[in-house]
Structures are given as structure tokens and as C-alpha cells.
Amino acid sequence: MNNNTMKVLTKNAIKCLVCNTILESKYRHNYVKCQCPNETACDGGLEYQRTLAVDLNLIEDLSEYQVMTQEDYDNLIKQTKAKQLAKNEQGVKDGLLVKIGNDYYSKEIITLLYDNK
């Protein structure tokens, strides 16, 4: 790796070796945890990698990285944001999401908030 490239997290996943559960965090603050006594968990999506367990020796790191230039990374971020925007807009069309300002919320959450007033 030279000064013009960087190592980028492209998959944030671990395997609990106690219960053989594979856990993958797909987006920021997507905390996923197995139910066994080792309480293996991962968090952070592709923004950061946080791994937890009672015994960290009982996990296998399945995360993947890619070496890329800053320009390639910037393009990847643009593509990811465009895909998420399209997914959110489809969610609005399907009646699953509500758009308020520039943010998208689950229709269930909005309904719960307004029904409890």
C-alpha cells in the first residue's frame, strides 16, 4: 500500500465459534448479537468496526477490506449514497417509509409517535 491508497472496510462480519452464528453489521449503528453465552456482537457497518464478546478468542473475523485510491473511495461513497437514496424513495412509494425534510423514517415509528399523543 502506497501513500495514494488506503485500506477500506467493505464487509463487517464475524463468526461466533461457540454457536457458529455469522453476524454482519450492514450500516452504522447496526448492532447485531448472537444469543449464546459468549454474547458475540459486531457494530458499525462500513463506517467503523466494533467487535464484542465475552471471550474474543472465540470469534473469527470475516471482515473484508479493499485497497483503493481516494478518488475510488469517494466514488464508492457516492454510489452507496445514491443506492440508499433510491432504496429510501422506493420505501416511501411502497408506504414503508415517511420522508420528513431530508430524513426517512419507518412508517410504523411515525404512526406510533402520532397515535400516542
Short mmCIF file of all heavy atoms in Angstrom, two decimals, residues 76-114:
data_model
loop_
_atom_site.label_atom_id
_atom_site.label_comp_id
_atom_site.label_asym_id
_atom_site.label_seq_id
_atom_site.Cartn_x
_atom_site.Cartn_y
_atom_site.Cartn_z
N LEU A 76 -17.08 5.38 -4.54
CA LEU A 76 -17.81 4.33 -3.83
C LEU A 76 -18.83 4.93 -2.87
O LEU A 76 -19.98 4.48 -2.81
CB LEU A 76 -16.83 3.42 -3.08
CG LEU A 76 -17.46 2.32 -2.23
CD1 LEU A 76 -18.19 1.30 -3.10
CD2 LEU A 76 -16.39 1.64 -1.39
N ILE A 77 -18.44 5.96 -2.14
CA ILE A 77 -19.34 6.63 -1.20
C ILE A 77 -20.52 7.25 -1.96
O ILE A 77 -21.68 7.12 -1.54
CB ILE A 77 -18.60 7.70 -0.38
CG1 ILE A 77 -17.54 7.04 0.51
CG2 ILE A 77 -19.56 8.54 0.45
CD1 ILE A 77 -18.08 6.06 1.53
N LYS A 78 -20.25 7.91 -3.09
CA LYS A 78 -21.33 8.50 -3.90
C LYS A 78 -22.30 7.43 -4.38
O LYS A 78 -23.52 7.61 -4.32
CB LYS A 78 -20.75 9.25 -5.10
CG LYS A 78 -20.13 10.57 -4.77
CD LYS A 78 -19.57 11.23 -6.03
CE LYS A 78 -18.74 12.43 -5.69
NZ LYS A 78 -18.09 13.02 -6.85
N GLN A 79 -21.76 6.31 -4.85
CA GLN A 79 -22.62 5.20 -5.33
C GLN A 79 -23.46 4.63 -4.19
O GLN A 79 -24.65 4.35 -4.36
CB GLN A 79 -21.77 4.09 -5.95
CG GLN A 79 -21.13 4.45 -7.26
CD GLN A 79 -20.14 3.38 -7.72
OE1 GLN A 79 -19.93 2.37 -7.05
NE2 GLN A 79 -19.51 3.63 -8.86
N THR A 80 -22.85 4.46 -3.04
CA THR A 80 -23.55 3.91 -1.88
C THR A 80 -24.69 4.84 -1.45
O THR A 80 -25.81 4.39 -1.18
CB THR A 80 -22.57 3.68 -0.71
OG1 THR A 80 -21.54 2.79 -1.15
CG2 THR A 80 -23.27 3.10 0.50
N LYS A 81 -24.41 6.14 -1.42
CA LYS A 81 -25.44 7.12 -1.04
C LYS A 81 -26.57 7.14 -2.06
O LYS A 81 -27.75 7.23 -1.69
CB LYS A 81 -24.83 8.51 -0.86
CG LYS A 81 -24.01 8.64 0.40
CD LYS A 81 -23.46 10.03 0.57
CE LYS A 81 -22.66 10.13 1.85
NZ LYS A 81 -22.12 11.48 2.06
N ALA A 82 -26.23 7.05 -3.34
CA ALA A 82 -27.25 7.05 -4.39
C ALA A 82 -28.14 5.81 -4.28
O ALA A 82 -29.37 5.90 -4.41
CB ALA A 82 -26.60 7.12 -5.76
N LYS A 83 -27.53 4.65 -4.00
CA LYS A 83 -28.31 3.42 -3.83
C LYS A 83 -29.24 3.53 -2.62
O LYS A 83 -30.40 3.11 -2.68
CB LYS A 83 -27.38 2.21 -3.65
CG LYS A 83 -26.73 1.74 -4.92
CD LYS A 83 -25.83 0.55 -4.64
CE LYS A 83 -25.03 0.16 -5.85
NZ LYS A 83 -24.08 -0.93 -5.57
N GLN A 84 -28.73 4.09 -1.52
CA GLN A 84 -29.55 4.22 -0.32
C GLN A 84 -30.70 5.20 -0.55
O GLN A 84 -31.82 4.96 -0.12
CB GLN A 84 -28.70 4.67 0.88
CG GLN A 84 -29.47 4.65 2.18
CD GLN A 84 -30.00 3.27 2.54
OE1 GLN A 84 -29.25 2.32 2.58
NE2 GLN A 84 -31.29 3.16 2.82
N LEU A 85 -30.42 6.29 -1.26
CA LEU A 85 -31.48 7.26 -1.57
C LEU A 85 -32.57 6.60 -2.42
O LEU A 85 -33.77 6.77 -2.14
CB LEU A 85 -30.89 8.47 -2.30
CG LEU A 85 -31.89 9.56 -2.70
CD1 LEU A 85 -32.58 10.14 -1.47
CD2 LEU A 85 -31.18 10.66 -3.47
N ALA A 86 -32.17 5.83 -3.42
CA ALA A 86 -33.15 5.13 -4.27
C ALA A 86 -33.96 4.14 -3.43
O ALA A 86 -35.18 4.03 -3.60
CB ALA A 86 -32.44 4.42 -5.42
N LYS A 87 -33.29 3.44 -2.52
CA LYS A 87 -33.97 2.48 -1.66
C LYS A 87 -34.97 3.20 -0.74
O LYS A 87 -36.10 2.74 -0.55
CB LYS A 87 -32.92 1.74 -0.82
CG LYS A 87 -33.41 0.51 -0.12
CD LYS A 87 -32.29 -0.04 0.75
CE LYS A 87 -31.87 -1.40 0.30
NZ LYS A 87 -30.89 -2.03 1.19
N ASN A 88 -34.56 4.34 -0.19
CA ASN A 88 -35.45 5.13 0.67
C ASN A 88 -36.65 5.65 -0.11
O ASN A 88 -37.78 5.58 0.39
CB ASN A 88 -34.69 6.30 1.30
CG ASN A 88 -33.71 5.86 2.37
OD1 ASN A 88 -33.74 4.73 2.84
ND2 ASN A 88 -32.81 6.75 2.74
N GLU A 89 -36.42 6.16 -1.31
CA GLU A 89 -37.52 6.68 -2.13
C GLU A 89 -38.49 5.56 -2.49
O GLU A 89 -39.71 5.76 -2.50
CB GLU A 89 -36.98 7.36 -3.39
CG GLU A 89 -36.27 8.68 -3.12
CD GLU A 89 -37.19 9.77 -2.57
OE1 GLU A 89 -38.41 9.74 -2.83
OE2 GLU A 89 -36.68 10.65 -1.85
N GLN A 90 -37.97 4.36 -2.76
CA GLN A 90 -38.83 3.22 -3.04
C GLN A 90 -39.64 2.85 -1.79
O GLN A 90 -40.82 2.50 -1.89
CB GLN A 90 -38.02 2.01 -3.52
CG GLN A 90 -38.88 0.85 -3.99
CD GLN A 90 -39.75 1.22 -5.19
OE1 GLN A 90 -39.28 1.77 -6.17
NE2 GLN A 90 -41.05 0.92 -5.09
N GLY A 91 -39.02 2.97 -0.64
CA GLY A 91 -39.71 2.71 0.62
C GLY A 91 -40.88 3.66 0.83
O GLY A 91 -41.93 3.27 1.33
N VAL A 92 -40.70 4.93 0.43
CA VAL A 92 -41.79 5.91 0.50
C VAL A 92 -42.91 5.50 -0.45
O VAL A 92 -44.09 5.48 -0.08
CB VAL A 92 -41.28 7.34 0.20
CG1 VAL A 92 -42.45 8.31 0.06
CG2 VAL A 92 -40.32 7.81 1.28
N LYS A 93 -42.55 5.14 -1.69
CA LYS A 93 -43.55 4.72 -2.69
C LYS A 93 -44.31 3.48 -2.22
O LYS A 93 -45.51 3.34 -2.47
CB LYS A 93 -42.88 4.43 -4.03
CG LYS A 93 -42.42 5.66 -4.76
CD LYS A 93 -41.73 5.30 -6.07
CE LYS A 93 -41.13 6.53 -6.72
NZ LYS A 93 -40.33 6.18 -7.90
N ASP A 94 -43.61 2.57 -1.54
CA ASP A 94 -44.23 1.33 -1.06
C ASP A 94 -45.02 1.52 0.24
O ASP A 94 -45.64 0.58 0.74
CB ASP A 94 -43.17 0.25 -0.85
CG ASP A 94 -42.51 -0.20 -2.15
OD1 ASP A 94 -43.08 0.06 -3.24
OD2 ASP A 94 -41.42 -0.80 -2.07
N GLY A 95 -44.96 2.73 0.79
CA GLY A 95 -45.70 3.01 2.03
C GLY A 95 -45.01 2.53 3.28
O GLY A 95 -45.63 2.46 4.35
N LEU A 96 -43.72 2.19 3.20
CA LEU A 96 -42.99 1.69 4.36
C LEU A 96 -42.25 2.79 5.11
O LEU A 96 -41.99 2.66 6.30
CB LEU A 96 -42.00 0.61 3.93
CG LEU A 96 -42.60 -0.59 3.21
CD1 LEU A 96 -41.49 -1.48 2.66
CD2 LEU A 96 -43.52 -1.36 4.13
N LEU A 97 -41.88 3.86 4.39
CA LEU A 97 -41.13 4.96 4.97
C LEU A 97 -41.89 6.28 4.78
O LEU A 97 -42.69 6.41 3.86
CB LEU A 97 -39.75 5.09 4.31
CG LEU A 97 -38.79 3.91 4.45
CD1 LEU A 97 -37.51 4.18 3.67
CD2 LEU A 97 -38.47 3.65 5.91
N VAL A 98 -41.57 7.22 5.65
CA VAL A 98 -42.10 8.57 5.57
C VAL A 98 -40.92 9.52 5.48
O VAL A 98 -39.97 9.39 6.25
CB VAL A 98 -42.96 8.91 6.81
CG1 VAL A 98 -43.43 10.35 6.78
CG2 VAL A 98 -44.14 7.95 6.93
N LYS A 99 -40.97 10.47 4.54
CA LYS A 99 -39.88 11.44 4.41
C LYS A 99 -40.30 12.73 5.11
O LYS A 99 -41.35 13.30 4.83
CB LYS A 99 -39.59 11.72 2.93
CG LYS A 99 -38.41 12.65 2.72
CD LYS A 99 -38.09 12.84 1.26
CE LYS A 99 -36.88 13.77 1.11
NZ LYS A 99 -36.55 14.00 -0.28
N ILE A 100 -39.45 13.16 6.04
CA ILE A 100 -39.66 14.42 6.75
C ILE A 100 -38.38 15.22 6.58
O ILE A 100 -37.33 14.83 7.08
CB ILE A 100 -39.97 14.19 8.24
CG1 ILE A 100 -41.24 13.34 8.39
CG2 ILE A 100 -40.12 15.53 8.96
CD1 ILE A 100 -41.56 12.94 9.82
N GLY A 101 -38.47 16.32 5.84
CA GLY A 101 -37.28 17.09 5.49
C GLY A 101 -36.41 16.23 4.59
O GLY A 101 -36.87 15.73 3.57
N ASN A 102 -35.15 16.03 4.98
CA ASN A 102 -34.24 15.18 4.21
C ASN A 102 -34.04 13.81 4.85
O ASN A 102 -33.16 13.06 4.45
CB ASN A 102 -32.88 15.87 4.06
CG ASN A 102 -32.95 17.06 3.13
OD1 ASN A 102 -33.69 17.03 2.15
ND2 ASN A 102 -32.20 18.11 3.43
N ASP A 103 -34.86 13.51 5.85
CA ASP A 103 -34.69 12.25 6.58
C ASP A 103 -35.86 11.30 6.30
O ASP A 103 -36.97 11.73 6.00
CB ASP A 103 -34.61 12.52 8.08
CG ASP A 103 -33.38 13.33 8.46
OD1 ASP A 103 -32.30 13.04 7.91
OD2 ASP A 103 -33.50 14.24 9.29
N TYR A 104 -35.59 10.01 6.43
CA TYR A 104 -36.58 8.96 6.19
C TYR A 104 -36.81 8.19 7.48
O TYR A 104 -35.86 7.85 8.18
CB TYR A 104 -36.09 8.01 5.10
CG TYR A 104 -35.93 8.68 3.76
CD1 TYR A 104 -34.76 9.36 3.44
CD2 TYR A 104 -36.94 8.66 2.82
CE1 TYR A 104 -34.61 9.99 2.22
CE2 TYR A 104 -36.80 9.29 1.59
CZ TYR A 104 -35.64 9.95 1.31
OH TYR A 104 -35.50 10.58 0.10
N TYR A 105 -38.08 7.94 7.77
CA TYR A 105 -38.44 7.24 8.99
C TYR A 105 -39.40 6.10 8.67
O TYR A 105 -40.21 6.21 7.76
CB TYR A 105 -39.13 8.20 9.98
CG TYR A 105 -38.27 9.36 10.37
CD1 TYR A 105 -38.33 10.57 9.65
CD2 TYR A 105 -37.37 9.27 11.43
CE1 TYR A 105 -37.53 11.64 10.01
CE2 TYR A 105 -36.58 10.35 11.78
CZ TYR A 105 -36.66 11.53 11.06
OH TYR A 105 -35.87 12.60 11.40
N SER A 106 -39.33 5.04 9.48
CA SER A 106 -40.25 3.93 9.34
C SER A 106 -41.67 4.43 9.59
O SER A 106 -41.93 5.16 10.55
CB SER A 106 -39.90 2.85 10.36
OG SER A 106 -40.96 1.95 10.51
N LYS A 107 -42.59 4.05 8.73
CA LYS A 107 -43.99 4.46 8.89
C LYS A 107 -44.54 3.95 10.22
O LYS A 107 -45.34 4.62 10.87
CB LYS A 107 -44.83 3.95 7.73
CG LYS A 107 -46.21 4.54 7.69
CD LYS A 107 -46.92 4.18 6.41
CE LYS A 107 -48.26 4.89 6.35
NZ LYS A 107 -48.95 4.60 5.10
N GLU A 108 -44.10 2.77 10.65
CA GLU A 108 -44.54 2.22 11.93
C GLU A 108 -44.16 3.14 13.09
O GLU A 108 -44.97 3.37 13.99
CB GLU A 108 -43.91 0.85 12.17
CG GLU A 108 -44.44 -0.25 11.28
CD GLU A 108 -43.72 -1.57 11.51
OE1 GLU A 108 -42.68 -1.59 12.20
OE2 GLU A 108 -44.20 -2.58 10.99
N ILE A 109 -42.95 3.66 13.06
CA ILE A 109 -42.48 4.54 14.13
C ILE A 109 -43.29 5.85 14.13
O ILE A 109 -43.74 6.30 15.18
CB ILE A 109 -40.97 4.85 13.99
CG1 ILE A 109 -40.15 3.57 14.12
CG2 ILE A 109 -40.52 5.89 15.00
CD1 ILE A 109 -40.27 2.86 15.43
N ILE A 110 -43.49 6.43 12.97
CA ILE A 110 -44.26 7.67 12.87
C ILE A 110 -45.68 7.45 13.37
O ILE A 110 -46.22 8.25 14.13
CB ILE A 110 -44.27 8.20 11.41
CG1 ILE A 110 -42.84 8.53 10.97
CG2 ILE A 110 -45.19 9.39 11.27
CD1 ILE A 110 -42.15 9.62 11.76
N THR A 111 -46.28 6.34 12.99
CA THR A 111 -47.65 6.01 13.42
C THR A 111 -47.71 5.86 14.94
O THR A 111 -48.60 6.41 15.60
CB THR A 111 -48.14 4.70 12.74
OG1 THR A 111 -48.08 4.90 11.33
CG2 THR A 111 -49.55 4.37 13.16
N LEU A 112 -46.73 5.16 15.52
CA LEU A 112 -46.69 5.00 16.97
C LEU A 112 -46.55 6.35 17.68
O LEU A 112 -47.22 6.61 18.67
CB LEU A 112 -45.52 4.10 17.37
CG LEU A 112 -45.70 2.61 17.16
CD1 LEU A 112 -44.39 1.88 17.42
CD2 LEU A 112 -46.79 2.06 18.04
N LEU A 113 -45.69 7.21 17.17
CA LEU A 113 -45.48 8.51 17.78
C LEU A 113 -46.74 9.36 17.74
O LEU A 113 -47.12 9.99 18.73
CB LEU A 113 -44.33 9.25 17.09
CG LEU A 113 -42.94 8.67 17.32
CD1 LEU A 113 -41.92 9.38 16.45
CD2 LEU A 113 -42.54 8.79 18.78
N TYR A 114 -47.42 9.38 16.61
CA TYR A 114 -48.61 10.21 16.48
C TYR A 114 -49.83 9.59 17.17
O TYR A 114 -50.68 10.32 17.68
CB TYR A 114 -48.92 10.50 15.00
CG TYR A 114 -48.02 11.57 14.46
CD1 TYR A 114 -46.96 11.25 13.63
CD2 TYR A 114 -48.21 12.90 14.79
CE1 TYR A 114 -46.11 12.23 13.13
CE2 TYR A 114 -47.37 13.90 14.32
CZ TYR A 114 -46.32 13.55 13.49
OH TYR A 114 -45.49 14.54 13.01
#
